[in-house]
Amino acid sequence: MPPLISRRTLFALPAAIHAAGFARLALAASTLDDDSGLVNLALEASESWAVVGGRQALLQTFNGSVPGPTLQARPGDTVRIDFRNSLGEPANLHFHGLHIPPNGAADNSFQMVQAGESFGYEFTLPATHPGGTFWIHPHIHESAARQVSRGLAMPVIVRGELDEIPEIKSAPDFLLVLQDFNLTPGGVPIEPPNLERMTGREGNLITVSGQLNPTIPVQQDGWVRLRVINASSSRFYRLQMEEHTLYKIASDGGALPQPQALDELLLVPGERAEVMIQGSRPPGSYRLLNLPYDRGSNGMMGARGNGSAIAANSTLLTLTYAGKASQLVPLPSQLVTVDLLRGPSRIRSFTLGQRMGSMQRGMSFTINGRTFDKSRIDTQVQLNDIEDWDFINTMNMDHPMHIHTNPFQVIGPDGAPIPEWKDVVLVPARSRVRVRSAFRDFTGIAMYHCHILDHEDLGMMGTVQFKG
Ligand code: C2O
Ligand code: CU
Ligand code: CU
């Protein structure tokens, strides 16, 4: 008897995907077969009815789906996106985590694409760009949380060294885009009241690449690779696979030097992780759980104490054993070299706080006492300098801080950088975190901000100029 596989089972074989119409989770390597060095995409943002979690919802979509299409490229490729904004409001594209220019037609978060207008994005990935899992979302100040929480997110996969390691290459590759929605029974998104925006909105419907509790098959003794993107506007995910160890092989900015065995994995907004899971238990079905997490609150009356809306579903997906691998292959002990950044030429601090905004809008969130102003340059750094940035969180709530354009390494408790490229770091309530970055290759003005997008919209964002 062949194993029973539910209707929602997602195979990693491109042929099976198309036949079953399950193009969402399984990553088809075949879309990169062409060697032209050019990746072209026509992309339209529009308000449209889409299916999320098995129900219709009136969302904001890229090319009609939530999440949007997956863009795949190789280092050195030129990417051209013919972007049309059919929303009734301004939008734009931010290439979260990509090391490309922060200006012109590239990763220009200052660029507004007005309602009904088009914009041609074009950039070339540096030949040395790391492989990894990145994503695209709009970046309009004061609309970011609303637009992302209505579905505007799409994955970007840059192929790299990690993908060529045989033990990893041979594993079925699944892409999990974590999103949460707050919908009326009729499927219309609900805008949160101000107090909830201060905490950071969370929806009670969590979807994985648009689906509710999808099934992923694993062969007994075999491996699966999961690429996970937290594309939610505020929700943190504390992931645990029942009875299985997660072997983390990549972080925000690509591969780790060695696989890291984890019982659970915290993924804050904007963050990505790639994990391998082995079918090492008795055949059966096992749940990927989202455990509770307390992000704190800003102490305002009415803001939820635990800072976390209870989701209707805490099972994100089900791993189901199907078949048996012909041989048991261990993970390699070494993956990809990560060079540590040497000592900094300067240390800066960024204090995260809040202050009373207006009666109507409630609190504003600040960095070094100031709310975002796009016409102000907050920080100037010299191209090719290495700096340490201290994020000092004076509040009783967590802030996941993100920097555009250049990835960083987090400085560990022993004062040494951790060999892992990141672009988002959790700065827990009442604590400080130091990161080290090298500002390479590109001049221009970029942004850094809290990736709880309501906090970014409420002012917790600054500008950094890379000076040549
Ligand atoms: Cu994913 Cu500036 O953000
Ligand atoms: Cu970003
Ligand atoms: Cu924040």
Side-chain angles (χ1 to χ4, degrees), residues 94-97 137 139 402-404 449 451:
H94 166 51
F95 301 89
H96 183 127
H137 62 83
H139 213 287
H402 168 54
I403 309 175
H404 288 200
H449 57 91
H451 219 289

Coordinates of all heavy atoms in Angstrom, one line a residue, residues 94-97 137 139 402-404 449 451, ligand 2:
H94 N 11.0 47.2 -1.7 CA 12.2 47.1 -0.9 C 12.8 45.7 -1.0 O 12.0 44.7 -0.9 CB 12.0 47.5 0.5 CG 13.2 47.1 1.4 ND1 14.5 47.5 1.1 CD2 13.2 46.4 2.6 CE1 15.3 47.0 2.1 NE2 14.5 46.4 3.0
F95 N 14.1 45.6 -1.3 CA 14.7 44.3 -1.5 C 15.4 43.9 -0.2 O 16.6 44.2 0.0 CB 15.6 44.3 -2.7 CG 14.9 44.7 -4.0 CD1 14.7 46.0 -4.3 CD2 14.3 43.7 -4.7 CE1 14.0 46.4 -5.5 CE2 13.6 44.0 -5.9 CZ 13.4 45.4 -6.2
H96 N 14.6 43.3 0.7 CA 15.1 43.1 2.1 C 16.3 42.1 2.1 O 16.1 41.0 1.8 CB 14.0 42.6 3.0 CG 14.4 42.4 4.4 ND1 13.7 43.0 5.4 CD2 15.4 41.7 5.0 CE1 14.3 42.7 6.6 NE2 15.3 41.9 6.3
G97 N 17.5 42.6 2.5 CA 18.6 41.8 2.7 C 19.6 41.7 1.5 O 20.7 41.3 1.7
H137 N 9.2 43.5 0.0 CA 8.0 44.1 0.5 C 8.0 45.6 0.3 O 9.0 46.2 0.0 CB 7.8 43.7 2.0 CG 8.9 44.3 2.9 ND1 8.8 45.6 3.4 CD2 10.0 43.7 3.4 CE1 9.9 45.8 4.2 NE2 10.6 44.7 4.2
H139 N 7.7 49.6 1.1 CA 8.4 50.3 2.2 C 8.0 51.8 2.2 O 8.8 52.7 2.2 CB 9.9 50.2 2.0 CG 10.8 50.2 3.2 ND1 11.0 51.3 4.0 CD2 11.4 49.2 3.8 CE1 11.8 51.0 5.0 NE2 12.0 49.7 4.9
H402 N 16.6 46.4 12.2 CA 17.1 46.0 10.8 C 17.8 47.1 10.2 O 17.5 48.2 10.3 CB 15.8 45.6 10.0 CG 16.0 45.5 8.5 ND1 16.9 44.6 8.0 CD2 15.4 46.1 7.5 CE1 16.8 44.7 6.7 NE2 15.9 45.6 6.3
I403 N 18.9 46.7 9.4 CA 19.6 47.7 8.6 C 19.6 47.3 7.2 O 19.8 46.1 6.9 CB 21.1 47.8 9.1 CG1 21.2 48.0 10.7 CG2 21.8 49.0 8.4 CD1 22.6 48.0 11.2
H404 N 19.4 48.3 6.3 CA 19.4 48.0 4.9 C 20.8 47.9 4.3 O 21.8 48.4 4.9 CB 18.7 49.2 4.1 CG 17.2 49.2 4.3 ND1 16.4 49.9 3.5 CD2 16.4 48.7 5.3 CE1 15.1 49.8 3.9 NE2 15.1 49.0 5.0
H449 N 15.7 50.5 11.0 CA 14.5 50.7 11.7 C 14.1 49.4 12.4 O 14.7 48.3 12.2 CB 13.3 51.0 10.7 CG 13.1 50.0 9.6 ND1 12.3 49.0 9.6 CD2 13.7 49.9 8.3 CE1 12.3 48.3 8.5 NE2 13.2 48.8 7.7
H451 N 11.7 46.3 12.8 CA 10.9 45.6 11.8 C 9.6 45.2 12.3 O 8.9 44.4 11.7 CB 11.7 44.4 11.2 CG 11.5 44.3 9.7 ND1 10.3 43.8 9.2 CD2 12.3 44.6 8.7 CE1 10.4 43.8 7.9 NE2 11.6 44.3 7.5
Ligands
CU2 CU 15.1 45.7 4.7

